[in-house]
Amino acid sequence: MRSFWGLMRAYWFSDRWVEAWTLTLVIALFTALSSKAGVWFAEASGELVNSIAFYHDAANTTPLASLLTNAGILILLVVLKDAGFTGIRTFVSATLHRKWRGWLDSRFNEALLDTNHTHFHAQHGSSGTAAPDNIDQRVQESIKDMTGGAIGLAMGVMAVATSLYFVGQKLLETSVEVKGLEFLGSYGSAVLAFLAVAIYVPLNTWIAVKLGRLLERLNIMMQQSEGSYRGELTTFLRRSFHVAASQGENVQKTMHDRLYVDIDRTWARLNIVNTSYRSFELVYNFIGARIVAYAPGLVPYIHNRFDLKGYITGSEMVNSLISQCSWFIHVMPSIAALRANSQRVTELANAIENVQHPQEFYSLTGCSDFRYDRQNPVFGLTIQKLELTHQGEDATPFLSAANLRFRRGEWTFLKGESGCGKTSLIKAINGLWPYGRGTIVFPEGVESFYAAQEVKLQQVSLKQLVCLPGSEHDHTDTQVASALHRAGLGDFIEHMADETREGMNWDQVLSGGQKQKLVVARIVLQQPGLLFLDEATGALDPEGKIAFHQAIKDHCPDVTVISIMHEAVPPRSLSGAEFYHSIVTIADGVATKKPLAPSLPVELTTILAHPRPVEEKWLRFPRRMRQK
């Protein structure tokens, strides 16, 4: 699906091919019937005009009955054609649109949400190629508009083919000799009709193509502008509290105004081109229906080769042929939108395909030479000759680690100044840092869990949120309830099956601290062997941090923990026991590991971790220490 035609035909050659071809054939059948009904309509129009023209003829003994009969037949044909054949075709084509879009949507979702973390890697650009903007818009709107536009155009092609067959056949049957073109015999009037269509339609189609290319470019620009504006609005609503707390409404408004300027400017240009195209199309339709359609039969009618009925019937058929062959002109704005949408979808497909091998992809814009391996779980996690860099072939490593080993059951505290690379180190271990080199050897058969500082919750049930990354069917209600209780969220147990509470999803219901307690519930439930905590207790108070660690210590006895926190010293249990065994210090771009320093008195450790006013700290010291 990385090219236009590949994208267009993928559904018809997929595992859903029976569904796709069945709906397509039904559409083709009713398109043919609609075209045939167009011939019947032309003939009925001729009969009606003829009954009007000869209403007062002495030979017409039942003029009113004839007039009403022909009018009734014409109305029935209109109902049959428009409400019957065309209506059914519209319903079936809408069903095909729904099925095709659903299939494409599922394919892109599967591709983006694979175990390769494609959705993450696809948002990074490669050498000379920018990352696809507004992926959400491409999956939602571009696929929908593209599939609808393609089906409409395909039906137009079918209508042209069937119309040429049925109308052309009837024109040949009713053709007569034309004065001055006697060498054509009885095909003279048919040749004139075909010639008029062949000159008039292609000439105006060329004009439509020129305008269509401009429409296509403006459509792409409009989609990009709309996507950027919508993306900023979505981001703003997610950080609404932070904007309010910092009183940043004026800055946010300026951003919105700046983004909307692009929409307004592009929209203005698009309106001008659309208006010009609409005017061109109206003039084209009038000339085609009232002049070009009636001109070819006028010569034989003047020379009495046609009666009025034959003239009207032939002219209506030429009009029908012009109308059907002009589908390209009528749908040129749709073609422009189709090409714009398909370009955005194929760009996304290419971005997905490019990142199927992340290291090869990142190697195009920098050094990406990580090796991931497995070893006996007895040896724990090992990191060797690790260097992390930013994008660029000559980028200097900002962090290096010669040899780090984390034993099974060992708790390690990462310490360093802000921006030194602590989070980057954890990302690299988990395969989420793009640039650098080194070897990371995981303990074989051990599940890992990465808990980030900011917890974003999907709109699913509370039970499913606790069971992530697994399914809610992997654990019983009792197990999940126990995990919630141990994490300090026992008040929510009765709402485990709910996706919302009081009209709000769980991301809105739970506070920052409660979300981090939810992470504890996940850890307790899933029992990972390797746990990464990236400032995962930042929203908790001192007692909450101790409870966070204690729950993991009590219920995951053999877990290996690597943790980032901003505290000067790692937290200790209420009894004064250390949670952590070692510390990795990052200084001057080098990560070194050593055992945790000998324990300080509980009182001093508490003061260092949670400073209070000087007088209060002093009074908390034992009398013997104050005397010293």
Side-chain angles (χ1 to χ4, degrees), residues 292-354:
V292 178
Y294 282 80
L298 186 61
V299 175
Y301 177 71
I302 292 173
H303 290 91
N304 208 26
R305 300 288 185 178
F306 275 146
D307 58 11
L308 181 62
K309 172 185 171 182
Y311 176 51
I312 296 297
T313 301
S315 298
E316 285 296 323
M317 284 193 291
V318 174
N319 182 32
S320 175
L321 190 61
I322 291 174
S323 177
Q324 295 291 357
C325 291
S326 300
W327 69 272
F328 196 78
I329 294 174
H330 297 322
V331 299
M332 180 55 69
S334 300
I335 292 175
L338 169 65
R339 290 182 61 86
N341 283 304
S342 64
Q343 179 176 328
R344 290 182 63 76
V345 176
T346 54
E347 283 175 356
L348 178 57
N350 277 295
I352 290 172
E353 187 66 25
N354 290 340

Side-chain angles (χ1 to χ4, degrees), residues 40-356:
W40 299 335
F41 179 85
E43 293 176 332
S45 296
E47 292 288 350
L48 178 61
V49 171
N50 192 61
S51 63
I52 295 172
F54 292 95
Y55 186 86
H56 298 291
D57 193 297
N60 190 356
T61 59
T62 56
L64 183 60
S66 177
L67 177 64
L68 293 177
T69 299
N70 289 325
I73 291 173
L74 189 62
I75 292 172
L76 286 175
L77 284 173
V78 170
V79 173
L80 178 66
K81 179 178 182 293
D82 294 338
F85 299 152
T86 304
I88 294 173
R89 185 185 70 169
T90 300
F91 174 76
V92 177
S93 66
T95 302
L96 177 60
H97 184 194
R98 178 170 59 86
K99 298 287 188 180
W100 185 14
R101 182 203 173 183
W103 180 81
L104 273 176
D105 185 81
S106 67
R107 293 290 296 167
F108 275 92
N109 271 284
E110 289 175 10
L112 285 168
L113 298 171
D114 60 5
T115 55
N116 185 51
H117 308 306
T118 294
H119 62 92
F120 173 78
H121 299 301
Q123 297 181 68
H124 296 78
S126 62
S127 181
T129 304
D133 62 277
N134 306 305
I135 291 178
D136 58 330
Q137 183 199 43
R138 294 172 190 254
V139 173
Q140 182 186 7
E141 295 179 9
S142 296
I143 287 179
K144 179 184 177 182
D145 293 343
M146 181 202 71
T147 49
I151 291 171
L153 293 178
M155 289 194 299
V157 174
M158 293 179 191
V160 169
T162 54
S163 182
L164 281 172
Y165 176 77
F166 290 118
V167 176
Q169 184 183 54
K170 193 65 178 178
L171 282 173
L172 289 173
E173 288 178 5
T174 58
S175 181
V176 296
E177 186 180 89
V178 177
K179 187 174 181 179
L181 298 176
E182 290 83 0
F183 65 93
L184 294 174
S186 61
Y187 293 113
S189 64
V191 170
L192 281 179
F194 290 135
L195 189 63
V197 174
I199 293 175
Y200 185 66
V201 175
L203 176 63
N204 287 277
T205 299
W206 178 81
I207 298 173
V209 169
K210 294 295 184 181
L211 291 172
R213 287 175 180 169
L214 183 56
L215 281 172
E216 179 186 345
R217 290 195 295 271
L218 290 173
N219 268 299
I220 293 174
M221 292 170 62
M222 192 67 176
Q223 288 189 25
Q224 291 172 338
S225 301
E226 292 277 12
S228 298
Y229 186 52
R230 188 183 67 180
E232 179 55 38
L233 285 174
T234 302
T235 304
F236 155 63
L237 292 174
R238 288 175 180 169
R239 63 184 180 215
S240 177
F241 168 77
H242 302 285
V243 173
S246 63
Q247 299 182 7
E249 283 83 0
N250 286 334
V251 174
Q252 190 71 40
K253 181 178 179 297
T254 302
M255 291 176 62
H256 291 177
D257 290 343
R258 176 170 52 82
L259 289 171
Y260 194 81
V261 165
D262 290 337
I263 294 177
D264 189 66
R265 185 183 298 116
T266 306
W267 199 354
R269 295 174 62 190
L270 194 58
N271 284 342
I272 293 172
V273 178
N274 273 325
T275 302
S276 301
Y277 194 91
R278 180 60 179 162
S279 300
F280 157 75
E281 189 178 7
L282 289 171
V283 172
Y284 170 83
N285 289 339
F286 177 81
I287 294 176
R290 294 292 176 263
I291 297 177
V292 178
Y294 282 80
L298 186 61
V299 175
Y301 177 71
I302 292 173
H303 290 91
N304 208 26
R305 300 288 185 178
F306 275 146
D307 58 11
L308 181 62
K309 172 185 171 182
Y311 176 51
I312 296 297
T313 301
S315 298
E316 285 296 323
M317 284 193 291
V318 174
N319 182 32
S320 175
L321 190 61
I322 291 174
S323 177
Q324 295 291 357
C325 291
S326 300
W327 69 272
F328 196 78
I329 294 174
H330 297 322
V331 299
M332 180 55 69
S334 300
I335 292 175
L338 169 65
R339 290 182 61 86
N341 283 304
S342 64
Q343 179 176 328
R344 290 182 63 76
V345 176
T346 54
E347 283 175 356
L348 178 57
N350 277 295
I352 290 172
E353 187 66 25
N354 290 340
V355 299
Q356 291 309 297

